[in-house]
């Protein structure tokens, strides 16, 4: 195997490992933020909305905007942030900031598609030996 092919495979393996770690840690963060808070049983006090869900919607938008501004970085950085933004946006759909959650999910989906295209193009250049550090 040539050096170009090995470097492309190493980059792809790093992106896959990072995405798997993100896919495991993202839902754990969401579950932690959505945990129920203790409430008195016979209380007439209205239960306030969970502010953490609003923060998830806002975090989704922030990650989506950052992904769109960050498309020239290696996919190992952009793909996990896109996946986290999608997870946060999906969880933020239960908040009062549902529009922000939808916008964040759309931005993160666009960032995910750009990141996948960037990874595919980088793998192609790596297999051809045309990456900037291989010339």
């Amino acid at each position: 195997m040539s050096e170009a092919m090995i470097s492309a495979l190493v980059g792809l393996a790093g992106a896959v490992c990072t995405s798997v770690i993100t896919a495991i840690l993202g839902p754990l963060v969401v579950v932690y933020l959505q945990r129920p808070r203790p409430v008195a049983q016979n209380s007439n006090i209205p239960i306030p909305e969970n502010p953490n869900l609003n923060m998830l919607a806002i975090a989704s938008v922030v990650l989506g905007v950052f992904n769109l501004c960050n498309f020239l970085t290696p996919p190992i950085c952009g793909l996990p942030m896109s996946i986290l933004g999608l997870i946060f946006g999906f969880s933020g759909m239960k908040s009062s900031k549902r529009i922000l959650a939808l916008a964040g999910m759309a931005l993160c989906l666009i960032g995910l598609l750009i990141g996948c295209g960037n990874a595919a193009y980088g793998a192609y250049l790596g297999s051809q030996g045309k990456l900037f550090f291989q010339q």
Side-chain angles (χ1 to χ4, degrees), residues 63-71 75 77-83 86 104-119:
L63 286 173
V65 169
F66 188 70
N67 279 326
L68 291 182
C69 298
N70 184 4
F71 67 92
C77 300
L79 293 178
M81 284 190 292
S82 296
I83 294 169
L86 286 171
M105 287 173 56
L107 291 172
C108 287
L109 185 61
I110 293 169
L112 183 67
L113 294 175
I114 290 173
C116 288
N118 188 6

Side-chain angles (χ1 to χ4, degrees), residues 1-12 126 134:
M1 234 192 267
S2 68
E3 284 185 31
M5 186 62 104
I6 291 172
S7 66
L9 288 175
V10 167
L12 184 63
Q134 293 174 340

Side-chain angles (χ1 to χ4, degrees), residues 4-6 9 13 15 22-23 38-39 46 53 61-62 73 82-83 94 100 111 115-116 134:
M5 186 62 104
I6 291 172
L9 288 175
T22 302
V39 178
L53 293 179
V61 171
V62 169
T73 61
S82 296
I83 294 169
K94 300 172 189 165
L100 281 178
C116 288
Q134 293 174 340

Side-chain angles (χ1 to χ4, degrees), residues 45-62:
I45 300 172
I47 300 172
E49 183 179 335
N50 190 348
N52 291 331
L53 293 179
N54 290 338
M55 293 304 294
L56 287 174
I58 294 169
S60 175
V61 171
V62 169

